[in-house]
């Protein structure tokens, strides 16, 4: 027997029980929902909303009524566009849009000035969405498995960015703008078409660089403090006469609060890097690790 599809304007039968827990959290993931029940948008105190893997095709403009929302998970659905109302969530810090059908982001997306973590992997982005350049507080940007070939020269405007995942895109040359991202801690360029790298010493804060599955002949030149993942990386790190740590898992987790995530992404050491690739939304509240 399949999961029953909810009436479009009603909350699921167990919603009241979820909300009575006091966490102001609503879990709708895995249900069959072509659109978000309008009653959800009336939950003005809601802080966490998970609507992953439901078959969702559209969002109502009324979603902007969720003024207290901090976390919104919409991954693994069938969204082709986002309403402008989503851009008017003043407290939103984490937004998960991976595994949809997005070609672009709304121009008003730059209004999400509280956003710290954006996962938009597994969509159809051919160009870097320019509204993101105005999100100077964004710390973690997951754009793996899209169709990007270049990055804008203005990328260094994103001064808050610490983790950037670009695996599975179509880069044939190392994007020059990345060399001016001196505050990046994590950079993932796995599974592109890169034939070589410039000297990466200008990335002074870099701690993890993943470049596996590119047509390169060896690792790039990096500082001795950088953990490498890719062809020749083990040999290069062995030359440093250091123990080779196990690469961290590349899957999401819903385990950490904001302060713990910030410590891992910005203040952590070595391979405790954060960043997801292909997991369920149940790891959404922490960032993922590199490598498999």
């Amino acid at each position: 027997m399949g999961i029953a599809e909810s009436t479009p304007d009603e909350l699921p039968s167990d919603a009241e029980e979820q909300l009575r827990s006091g966490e102001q959290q609503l879990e709708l993931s895995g249900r069959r929902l072509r659109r978000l029940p309008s009653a959800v948008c009336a939950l003005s105190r809601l802080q966490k909303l998970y609507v992953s893997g439901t078959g969702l095709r559209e969002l109502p403009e009324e979603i902007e009524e969720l003024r207290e929302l901090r976390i919104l998970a919409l991954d693994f659905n069938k969204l082709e566009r986002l309403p402008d109302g989503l851009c008017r969530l003043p407290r939103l810090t984490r937004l998960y849009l991976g595994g949809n059908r997005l070609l672009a982001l709304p121009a008003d997306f730059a209004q999400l000035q509280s956003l710290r973590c954006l996962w938009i992997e597994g969509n159809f982005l051919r160009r870097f969405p320019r509204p993101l350049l105005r999100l100077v507080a964004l710390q973690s940007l997951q754009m793996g498995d899209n169709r990007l070939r270049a990055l804008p020269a203005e990328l260094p405007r994103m001064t808050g960015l610490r983790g950037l995942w670009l695996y599975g895109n179509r880069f044939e040359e190392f994007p020059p703008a990345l060399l001016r991202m001196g505050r990046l801690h994590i950079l993932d360029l796995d599974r592109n078409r890169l034939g070589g790298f410039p000297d990466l010493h200008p990335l002074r804060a870099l701690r993890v660089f993943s470049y596996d599955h590119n047509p390169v002949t060896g690792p790039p030149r990096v500082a001795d403090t950088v953990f490498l993942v890719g062809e020749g990386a083990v040999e290069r790190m062995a030359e440093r006469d250091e123990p080779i740590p196990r690469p961290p898992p590349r899957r999401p987790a819903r385990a950490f609060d904001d302060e713990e995530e910030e410590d891992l992404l910005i203040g952590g050491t070595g391979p405790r890097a954060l960043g997801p690739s292909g997991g369920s939304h149940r790891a959404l509240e922490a960032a993922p690790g590199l490598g498999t």
Side-chain angles (χ1 to χ4, degrees):
M1 181 182 297
I3 300 175
E5 186 167 351
S6 301
T7 304
D9 294 327
E10 296 179 355
L11 289 174
S13 58
D14 63 342
E16 291 187 10
E17 182 178 352
Q18 289 190 52
L19 295 171
R20 278 200 299 267
S21 68
E23 293 186 10
Q24 290 303 315
Q25 170 178 317
L26 185 59
E27 174 68 84
L28 301 178
S29 298
R31 304 167 191 260
R32 292 171 55 193
L33 298 171
R34 287 185 177 272
R35 60 175 177 159
L36 192 69
S38 59
V40 172
C41 299
L43 301 173
S44 59
R45 297 174 59 193
L46 197 65
Q47 296 185 17
K48 301 177 182 180
L49 176 59
Y50 302 100
V51 195
S52 301
T54 65
L56 196 69
R57 294 179 180 271
E58 61 180 327
L59 290 172
E61 287 288 346
E62 291 78 13
I63 197 170
E64 69 178 284
E65 301 300 324
L66 300 177
R67 308 290 289 177
E68 297 297 318
L69 203 63
R70 268 71 164 177
I71 297 174
L72 177 58
L74 297 166
D75 48 336
F76 304 108
N77 283 299
K78 299 179 180 180
L79 297 172
E80 297 182 2
R81 60 173 296 275
L82 301 176
D84 290 338
L86 184 144
C87 305
R88 293 188 282 272
L89 297 175
R91 299 182 183 273
L92 195 66
T93 63
R94 304 179 192 175
L95 177 58
Y96 303 97
L97 296 167
N100 278 284
R101 302 173 178 177
L102 299 173
L103 295 170
L105 296 178
D108 288 345
F109 200 85
Q111 294 182 24
L112 295 172
Q113 288 296 306
S114 295
L115 201 63
R116 296 173 59 232
C117 177
L118 173 63
W119 291 4
I120 194 169
E121 76 282 8
N123 280 278
F124 301 138
L125 300 176
R126 294 182 179 272
R127 296 183 178 180
F128 188 92
R130 297 194 68 82
L132 298 184
L133 298 173
R134 295 169 57 191
L135 298 180
V136 295
L138 192 68
Q139 296 178 359
S140 176
L141 178 57
Q142 161 59 282
M143 299 187 72
D145 290 329
N146 276 282
R147 301 179 181 182
L148 302 177
R149 296 179 181 270
L151 297 176
E154 302 93 333
L155 189 69
R157 291 181 185 175
M158 301 181 72
T159 55
L161 206 59
R162 299 296 183 268
L164 179 58
W165 290 267
L166 297 168
Y167 59 82
N169 278 282
R170 300 180 180 179
F171 296 105
E172 296 182 358
E173 297 181 355
F174 188 89
L178 290 176
L179 290 176
R180 294 184 287 122
M181 300 292 289
R183 298 181 181 181
L184 269 185
H185 288 197
I186 304 163
L187 177 59
D188 186 341
L189 283 165
D190 282 1
R191 292 191 285 109
N192 278 280
R193 304 172 182 176
L194 300 171
F197 302 102
D199 186 336
L200 299 187
H201 279 88
L203 300 180
R204 296 180 300 275
L206 194 64
R207 299 180 182 179
V208 178
F209 180 56
S210 188
Y211 61 94
D212 214 4
H213 304 100
N214 279 283
V216 295
T217 57
R221 296 174 60 190
V222 295
D224 287 345
T225 53
V226 178
F227 177 79
L228 293 170
V229 180
E231 182 70 26
V234 172
E235 292 81 2
R236 174 63 59 86
M237 288 190 289
E239 292 173 2
R240 304 174 187 170
D241 196 25
E242 297 176 355
I244 307 302
R246 293 178 60 188
R250 200 187 211 173
R251 58 179 180 268
R254 218 198 241 186
F256 304 111
D257 61 24
D258 285 341
E259 291 182 1
E260 289 173 316
E261 179 175 335
E262 184 173 2
D263 176 66
L264 287 172
L265 183 58
I266 299 176
T269 59
R272 294 176 65 204
L274 303 179
S277 172
S280 83
H281 76 285
R282 294 204 171 272
L284 295 182
E285 292 187 15
L290 280 167
T292 46

